[in-house]
Amino acid sequence: MTEYDLDDSGVVVIIGSGAGGGTLAHELTKRGVGVVLLEAGRHLSAEDFVNDEWGGYEMLSWLDKRTASGDWRVARDHPVTPSWSCQVVGGTTTHWSGCCYRLIEDEMRARTVYGDIAGASLIDWPLTLDELEPYYDLAEARMGVTRTNGLPGLPANNNFKVMYAGASALGLNASTGRQAINSVPYDGRPATIQDGFTVTGDKVGSRWSTLNVEIPRALATGRLELRPRSRAVFIEHDAAGKASGVVYVDAAGTRHRQKARAVVLAGNCVESSRLLLHSASSLFPQGLANGHGSVGRYYLRHIIQTVWSVFDKPVNMHRGEIMTGVVDDFVRHDPARGFAGGYYVELNSMGLPTTAAFLDPGWWGRDFAQVIEQYAHMAGMLLSGEDMPQAGNRITLNDELDAFGVPVANIHYDEHPNDLKMRSHGYKTMTAIHQAAGARRSVEAPAYPASHNLGSNRMSAKAEDGVLDGNGRAHEVPNLFIADGSAFATGGACNPTLTIVALAIRQADFMARQMAAGEL
Amino acid sequence: MTGIKAHKDPAMPPPLTVAEGPEWVEALTLLAPDMAHTLLAATRTLYPHDGLPERVYRRVILHFDRMAAMSPAAAQSLAEFVDRVDAAMPLPFRDLSESYRVAVLTSLEESAAFRLVQRSAVRFLYDDVEVWQAFGYEGASVHLGGYAARGFNDLDWLPEPPAGV
Ligand SMILES: Cc1cc2nc3c(=O)[nH]c(=O)nc-3n(C[C@H](O)[C@H](O)[C@H](O)COP(=O)(O)OP(=O)(O)OC[C@H]3O[C@@H](n4cnc5c(N)ncnc54)[C@H](O)[C@@H]3O)c2cc1C
């Protein structure tokens, strides 16, 4: 592997090797740019991964303490793990289940289309869908998304048969949807063997991740130095207010300073905001790039919730890919529904260990026992919908420090009335689908720890509305970028990773152009 | 119950061994036998599966024991939990009938000690391969070729969706 000197100020330093950071590292190195990729987690391979829900969770997850406040149920159910992501080379792409949908035009013009919603701080994206679409095309090809580029959809599994029967009885449109999981061999990776364990690392490699696609290719260019077990703790700037380097702690606990031509944060939203808030200086007393106090604000986590239903006959939802199903009738904004924005109903399965843990985290007694005993007869679905940005929903720093001396993050989230209306509508839809397929009992399960973390360093046309411009560059620091979901101006309804990847490819184009022009 | 076979990933540690007789408590490293019996009664009341053998609940208690050995804070919470459930009624918790046990546990629901016991019971009980087998969760699959040829689409009591949907 190429090695760069700590004093080499010609490299771009990227913090985090997940969907955003891993993709950007590949795209920049491909364009001839030298990159140092700092990743807090270890570099694992397919042999290390296990087919075991808790084993995989403990191997991959970001388990450092966070705190939570606000009226969201997550604060009660998961008070020190309110957000769910990974700490490993490849980030949460080692864990995700591959659903890949695009934002639609209305969502990127949320303020204009939804109007002025009391209590919400909606804005339009500073870029249009037209500008993003060519990058969606590139991202889908790169990730091998089914039903794009001539790739067939994934086959119907047992859980999907239930969804399909219920949805079609109600006149809704269900399909196995689009996933970055190979239905046929593609790009040197095999087709799925329907093992059902993408969430614990994916030993087979049929699902796209930055660990198995982007990072090896970036390394092959000879321009990437990947430094695993390297925790960024501070971003420094020079007298002119440009980012000049990143202080990080290696596996042995030693502190280093890597100089940089540009710095990119891609630590999965909460970590990126935390690092900016912590990197305060006399020039940036409220934290780096935080002159308007927007860093950490407008935090979004999508309307995520699940419904699990029990049927008379076996379903065996654990067999096969986890999320191969979608109902897309509720995606478009439709004021007649009584709330703004839309949602996707997606297939969802879990094994017995996590079904028991997430069904309703405080639930116990004979009723719970009676439901969970029928695991083999259960089917599941998940809702992913747009939540409202609110100034008070934000990431802040606690007084308590972590092992690296960085303040522990607090995530505050109160549900907006629009969020609650969508939740209720969505539960009714999901339950109706299962009932139409013959469900005997349906359980409305609450949100998981936030798995779609977005918005807390958002892009905005006007500097005072956010943190970044339309290229993911800080309004206040011209060589500081963000490549994770915290850059989203609004959340949209769909699972975010395809958009994170498309934005990262677009950002690489921008950065390379700026460098060629001598401006970066 | 379900005629399936459950598999733990071969790379994961094997299930804890537990004796069938009363000497099972000898495997405890930190918890006193009395405490272990009370915690077992609580776990059975929290997650009452009449069809499951006693040994699966004992294995949960062996996991509690390891947790306590690793974390003094957890050990203290478990001790506090046992004290509180035993002090709630004129009889020790494990001598109470089920409805009284439920009432005692309900009264403690908001406490941190209850929460630790309840969450940990879920964590360990439903991760037990014998429970998987009983409830029809087959578990690890890659070492068996996945479910592609082992029933991922064998549901036959609903109409088949049209090809390519
Ligand atoms: C259970 C689950 C299922 C999901 N399924 C889907 C799905 O089907 N479709 C979809 O679109 N999305 C899905 N997601 C969400 C998806 O995983 C994320 O959107 C995506 O991975 C986010 O990319 P990222 O680059 O922002 O962060 P990540 O992929 O999480 O990568 C961030 C990386 O940064 C590292 N890092 C953070 N801070 C530091 C630091 N200070 N120093 C060094 N390194 C640091 C972390 O260790 C991590 O490796 C799922 C998420 C979960 C939890």
Side-chain angles (χ1 to χ4, degrees):
Chain A
M1 184 170 66
T2 310
E3 288 185 9
Y4 293 104
D5 205 82
L6 287 168
D7 286 325
D8 186 340
S9 56
V11 296
V12 172
V13 177
I14 302 176
I15 300 165
S17 63
T23 302
L24 185 71
H26 180 202
E27 294 293 325
L28 286 176
T29 52
K30 220 171 65 175
R31 288 167 176 77
V33 179
V35 171
V36 171
L37 181 54
L38 300 176
E39 167 53 56
R42 295 179 292 159
H43 197 170
L44 302 178
S45 66
E47 291 80 68
D48 299 310
F49 297 144
V50 288
N51 268 208
D52 188 86
E53 291 191 304
W54 286 122
Y57 179 82
E58 281 154 17
M59 178 186 294
L60 303 174
S61 298
W62 185 283
L63 296 170
D64 299 35
K65 181 182 176 183
R66 291 166 173 144
T67 61
S69 56
D71 69 13
W72 56 332
R73 223 192 111 167
V74 168
R76 187 151 47 92
D77 288 342
H78 310 283
V80 292
T81 51
S83 157
W84 187 359
S85 62
C86 293
Q87 184 177 129
V88 66
V89 171
T92 318
T93 69
T94 62
H95 178 82
W96 74 315
S97 24
C99 288
C100 280
Y101 305 103
R102 295 182 178 199
L103 291 173
I104 60 174
E105 197 180 348
D106 281 0
E107 292 173 326
M108 295 187 71
R109 298 164 57 238
R111 174 63 183 79
T112 303
V113 175
Y114 308 167
D116 183 13
I117 296 177
S121 312
L122 286 165
I123 54 172
D124 291 346
W125 284 58
L127 68 157
T128 62
L129 184 61
D130 268 0
E131 289 171 85
L132 192 54
E133 251 163 358
Y135 296 96
Y136 271 139
D137 292 343
L138 291 171
E140 286 169 348
R142 176 69 59 75
M143 299 163 86
V145 177
T146 54
R147 296 199 160 90
T148 74
N149 299 287
L151 293 167
L154 284 158
N157 63 23
N158 294 331
N159 201 13
F160 177 75
K161 290 186 191 181
V162 175
M163 173 190 246
Y164 184 80
S168 29
L170 299 175
L172 299 172
N173 177 48
S175 82
T176 62
R178 297 179 171 204
Q179 288 83 25
I181 298 174
N182 286 349
S183 51
V184 293
Y186 176 74
D187 198 23
R189 292 179 291 116
T192 173
I193 60 169
Q194 300 288 350
D195 51 279
F197 279 95
T198 52
V199 290
T200 61
D202 185 15
K203 285 181 89 67
V204 177
S206 55
R207 179 208 54 200
W208 174 90
S209 71
T210 55
L211 175 68
N212 66 10
V213 178
E214 308 303 322
I215 292 168
R217 289 180 196 174
L219 287 169
T221 65
R223 296 191 192 91
L224 174 69
E225 182 179 351
L226 169 67
R227 296 189 195 151
R229 303 191 65 189
S230 297
R231 171 79 69 116
V233 295
F234 201 90
I235 302 164
E236 296 184 330
H237 62 77
D238 61 18
K242 286 175 74 174
S244 56
V246 176
V247 179
Y248 70 95
V249 182
D250 70 14
T254 309
R255 251 161 222 265
H256 305 279
R257 173 182 295 103
Q258 175 63 54
K259 290 201 170 152
R261 169 184 198 167
V263 173
V264 187
L265 280 82
N268 195 328
C269 197
V270 179
E271 290 312 305
S272 295
S273 291
R274 176 163 84 124
L275 208 46
L276 288 179
L277 291 171
H278 178 56
S279 298
S281 66
S282 52
L283 207 55
F284 297 98
Q286 302 192 77
L288 198 56
N290 195 25
H292 294 284
S294 299
V295 170
R297 285 192 196 272
Y298 316 112
Y299 168 75
L300 300 165
R301 51 142 183 168
H302 275 162
I303 306 296
I304 303 277
Q305 60 195 23
T306 53
V307 165
W308 306 92
S309 299
V310 179
F311 293 81
D312 286 329
K313 300 212 172 108
V315 176
N316 291 313
M317 67 170 168
H318 60 275
R319 296 180 185 163
E321 292 299 345
I322 294 170
M323 297 192 71
T324 50
V326 67
V327 171
D328 62 6
D329 297 79
F330 305 97
V331 173
R332 300 208 154 270
H333 169 70
D334 176 2
R337 284 186 215 122
F339 57 87
Y343 64 80
Y344 289 75
V345 174
E346 295 170 352
L347 205 65
N348 196 203
S349 70
M350 293 195 291
L352 178 63
T354 53
T355 303
F358 285 129
L359 195 54
D360 190 344
W363 191 13
W364 56 274
R366 290 235 166 241
D367 193 32
F368 174 88
Q370 213 257 334
V371 169
I372 200 73
E373 277 182 4
Q374 301 175 81
Y375 173 80
H377 291 214
M378 282 169 84
M381 290 185 300
L382 174 140
L383 183 135
S384 179
E386 178 161 12
D387 54 342
M388 286 296 117
Q390 300 181 68
N393 286 354
R394 60 190 293 212
I395 290 142
T396 53
L397 304 181
N398 284 295
D399 293 335
E400 182 183 347
L401 304 182
D402 72 6
F404 303 92
V406 180
V408 169
N410 183 66
I411 310 179
H412 183 92
Y413 193 101
D414 292 320
E415 303 216 53
H416 188 278
N418 197 78
D419 301 345
L420 294 168
K421 287 183 200 164
M422 184 186 288
R423 281 196 185 281
S424 174
H425 193 276
Y427 275 136
K428 285 189 204 163
T429 302
M430 293 198 287
T431 299
I433 292 172
H434 273 165
Q435 300 287 321
R440 248 195 288 135
R441 165 129 190 219
S442 298
V443 177
E444 297 180 2
Y448 306 145
S451 54
H452 297 175
N453 295 284
L454 307 168
S456 64
N457 305 299
R458 71 182 184 182
M459 295 179 174
S460 60
K462 287 189 252 159
E464 62 269 29
D465 287 340
V467 179
L468 310 170
D469 69 15
N471 294 303
R473 169 164 70 167
H475 288 300
E476 295 165 35
V477 185
N479 65 341
L480 177 70
F481 294 81
I482 296 217
D484 62 28
S486 66
F488 284 27
T490 55
C494 61
N495 319 56
T497 307
L498 177 70
T499 305
I500 294 175
V501 171
L503 287 170
I505 301 174
R506 183 169 174 274
Q507 188 171 55
D509 261 0
F510 174 77
M511 291 176 74
R513 272 201 316 274
Q514 289 272 305
M515 287 177 182
E519 284 163 26
L520 184 69
Chain B
M1 240 192 277
T2 54
I4 61 95
K5 174 98 184 76
H7 301 271
K8 199 74 176 162
D9 189 309
M12 294 299 290
L16 301 176
T17 46
V18 62
E20 287 293 330
E23 73 279 12
W24 76 274
V25 290
E26 287 163 20
L28 297 166
T29 61
L30 194 107
L31 295 181
D34 245 22
M35 265 180 84
H37 287 125
T38 303
L39 287 167
L40 192 143
T43 302
R44 268 218 105 118
T45 312
L46 288 167
Y47 298 106
H49 297 290
D50 298 335
L52 290 180
E54 173 87 357
R55 63 178 170 272
V56 306
Y57 290 98
R58 290 181 178 174
R59 279 195 289 267
V60 172
I61 305 310
L62 292 182
H63 279 290
F64 281 11
D65 181 57
R66 293 185 159 198
M67 204 169 78
M70 256 159 32
S71 153
Q76 205 190 329
S77 287
L78 294 178
E80 184 197 321
F81 175 86
V82 169
D83 284 349
R84 290 181 72 172
V85 296
D86 274 342
M89 292 271 177
L91 283 175
F93 180 81
R94 63 175 186 272
D95 294 338
L96 294 171
S97 73
E98 182 172 352
S99 63
Y100 283 109
R101 288 183 187 180
V102 168
V104 169
L105 292 173
T106 306
S107 74
L108 293 177
E109 259 183 327
E110 296 306 314
S111 69
F114 173 88
R115 193 186 163 99
L116 179 77
V117 170
Q118 185 247 324
R119 297 299 173 90
S120 308
V122 174
R123 163 72 177 80
F124 297 121
L125 180 63
Y126 300 104
D127 202 23
D128 188 299
V129 72
E130 199 172 343
V131 178
W132 295 2
Q133 173 87 32
F135 299 167
Y137 172 55
E138 293 158 292
S141 77
V142 162
H143 69 297
L144 303 168
Y147 291 107
R150 295 192 308 127
F152 88 101
N153 61 355
D154 67 353
L155 186 153
D156 59 4
W157 48 269
L158 285 168
E160 273 305 299
V165 74

